[in-house]
Amino acid sequence: MQELVFATNNAHKLEELRRITGDKFTILSLSDIGCHEDIPETADTLEGNARQKARFVKEKYGYDCFADDTGLMVDALGGAPGIYSARYAGPGHDSRANMALLLANLEGETHRSARFVTCICLIKDGEEHIFEGRVEGEILTAPQGDAGFGYDPVFRPDESDRSFALMSADEKNTISHRGRATAALLDYLLNR
Ligand code: IMP
């Protein structure tokens, strides 16, 4: 079976990815290859950050790999938190604090449209490829549910009347930004 490194140690993301790839690939995490350092993410776009992380792993550890970067873009906030989604409320990457700040910044706002966008950079056989997935939706006025991670309790995709945090993993993967970007990645890997 083909091995690919997913440049993350986020257990939720690994679990989501492994569900999607099934038995077609063995997905290794950063700790599986002995990488325990923080990979720099200093670009000003999702694509730039995904490329930066994938190149870091390829150059330093020698593995074919892919890296992703995701942002939540809220229209009423001019696209924020965007590339700063993980550290919106500060460097602690605290999901509850991030959601609380988002809800506070949208207090009284009726125009609540938003989207998640994921960029994946694959480095394989000496070539780089970019895949994107997005899901349109809205920011709820209060958290709903406790499944998933990050902003899941406050994001309702247009395709559903429930937040991501009220969905099963498979239900979320079918319509989510990362699910769609990963489907494009898999399509490339399996059919190129
Ligand atoms: P990352 O670039 O994938 O680490 O995503 C940046 C931030 O966006 C994360 O820290 C989460 O707060 C948020 N995020 C990414 N993917 C999701 C998701 O599927 N649901 C909810 N929040 C997410």
Side-chain angles (χ1 to χ4, degrees):
M1 201 187 303
Q2 277 197 65
E3 281 191 344
L4 264 183
V5 173
F6 181 13
T8 188
N9 272 327
N10 179 321
H12 289 284
K13 284 205 218 168
L14 277 165
E15 154 76 14
E16 278 190 6
L17 234 293
R18 286 177 173 145
R19 282 183 91 90
I20 296 168
T21 52
D23 56 8
K24 298 186 184 79
F25 294 89
T26 301
I27 304 292
L28 303 175
S29 69
L30 288 175
S31 53
D32 290 335
I33 60 163
C35 171
H36 300 290
E37 54 195 318
D38 275 340
I39 301 182
E41 267 183 72
T42 53
D44 55 10
T45 59
L46 298 174
E47 181 180 323
N49 279 331
R51 281 189 199 277
Q52 192 179 17
K53 288 188 275 189
R55 286 176 187 169
F56 182 94
V57 171
K58 180 67 188 175
E59 283 161 19
K60 218 165 160 191
Y61 293 84
Y63 285 87
D64 278 352
C65 65
F66 62 94
D68 73 338
D69 200 39
T70 295
L72 173 64
M73 283 74 174
V74 180
D75 292 326
L77 300 177
I83 59 165
Y84 303 107
S85 296
R87 49 205 144 104
Y88 190 40
H93 291 211
D94 177 338
S95 291
R96 279 172 190 271
N98 286 341
M99 277 191 289
L101 180 61
L102 183 63
L103 293 181
N105 286 343
L106 287 174
E107 184 77 45
E109 177 64 59
T110 51
H111 181 219
R112 304 180 75 91
S113 58
R115 67 203 53 79
F116 274 114
V117 181
T118 293
C119 250
I120 293 179
C121 174
L122 169 73
I123 299 183
K124 194 164 184 307
D125 305 328
E127 286 180 8
E128 274 184 27
H129 304 272
I130 296 291
F131 306 93
E132 196 192 271
R134 54 179 64 214
V135 57
E136 300 285 336
E138 67 159 5
I139 305 300
L140 299 169
T141 50
Q144 284 181 10
D146 51 18
F149 71 104
Y151 297 89
D152 277 350
V154 294
F155 184 83
R156 182 190 64 77
D158 286 347
E159 289 89 340
S160 174
D161 55 5
R162 288 167 299 136
S163 77
F164 269 160
L166 287 172
M167 296 182 182
S168 69
D170 286 340
E171 208 178 346
K172 178 184 168 190
N173 282 340
T174 308
I175 54 174
S176 83
H177 44 302
R178 199 168 21 265
R180 287 172 171 158
T182 310
L185 167 73
L186 267 189
D187 183 55
Y188 172 80
L189 288 169
L190 298 173
N191 301 314
R192 92 203 124 106

